[in-house]
Amino acid sequence: MDRINTPAIETATGATAEVYAQIRKSIGSVPNLFVAVGAHGPEALKAVLAAEGVLASGTLDKKDQETIKLLVSVLTGCDYCEAAHTVIGKMVGLPQDVIGKIRRGESTGDAKRDALIRLVRTLIQTSGTIPAEEFAAIKEAGYTDRQLVEISFAISLVIFTNVFNRINDTTVDFPVTPR
């Protein structure tokens, strides 16, 4: 249950109402995460949506973006984002068995995706500069320098939502499936 008092979406006015209308127009409804952030920080929500647009226009494909967002959500313990990115992962074409393997920390059997998972896991679970072997592995897997920027950007975006949801205990409004 949400810890931060969030007014009913119907009572939103000004910048908050505008950003909710934009989301509704785009995806049909306003997820609880966006309701809570928008109620108290419409500028932050607008920035997140703009940043997601930048990420979407990059060279990193949607399956890779969702792999990153799902894995980071699992590693940080954000139940809301894990549920959301499980659903979105399916929508962008990640097979259910691959989603399950990502969630359980198992190899997906796809060398390129597994290299991405190893890099993201290393970045989230360790500190300092990544080992040279890790850098070599992600480059050998075929990721470009531009995509390394986009991987970093995707991680930073999902960290924001993970942290906010962990503070707020945002009510999950996506189906929750077992790992």
Side-chain angles (χ1 to χ4, degrees):
M1 175 151 219
D2 293 9
R3 293 176 175 159
I4 297 173
N5 182 25
T6 304
I9 194 169
E10 302 78 29
T11 65
T13 59
T16 300
E18 291 171 18
V19 73
Y20 289 168
Q22 174 189 351
I23 294 166
R24 243 192 235 105
K25 183 177 179 182
S26 176
I27 62 174
S29 63
V30 184
N32 288 344
L33 164 66
F34 293 162
V35 172
V37 172
H40 300 284
E43 299 80 8
L45 182 54
K46 286 179 186 179
V48 167
L49 296 174
E52 287 290 352
V54 169
L55 184 61
S57 69
T59 62
L60 199 61
D61 73 33
K62 302 282 187 229
K63 291 178 186 178
D64 283 348
Q65 291 176 36
E66 288 307 314
T67 295
I68 294 164
K69 292 176 181 180
L70 177 58
L71 179 60
V72 171
S73 298
V74 168
L75 295 174
T76 64
C78 179
D79 61 343
Y80 186 96
C81 287
E82 183 176 348
H85 293 294
T86 295
V87 170
I88 299 167
K90 288 182 214 171
M91 291 171 54
V92 302
L94 279 173
Q96 183 62 44
D97 67 313
V98 170
I99 290 170
K101 288 175 180 178
I102 293 167
R103 292 173 71 195
R104 291 187 301 271
E106 299 171 358
S107 171
T108 67
D110 176 321
K112 186 172 184 180
R113 183 159 323 285
D114 287 344
L116 175 62
I117 289 168
R118 276 190 310 277
L119 174 69
V120 171
R121 184 178 302 281
T122 297
L123 289 167
I124 297 301
Q125 293 182 327
T126 66
S127 60
T129 303
I130 65 168
E133 313 81 60
E134 224 22 86
F135 181 76
I138 197 70
K139 294 296 284 186
E140 287 171 22
Y143 288 95
T144 66
D145 292 343
R146 178 176 175 160
Q147 288 173 324
L148 291 174
V149 171
E150 293 171 8
I151 290 166
S152 302
F153 195 44
I155 291 169
S156 70
L157 286 173
V158 77
I159 289 281
F160 169 76
T161 59
N162 289 175
V163 168
F164 179 79
N165 287 321
R166 290 175 60 212
I167 293 167
N168 186 40
D169 193 20
T170 308
T171 302
V172 179
D173 53 352
F174 290 89
V176 177
T177 57
R179 288 185 182 178

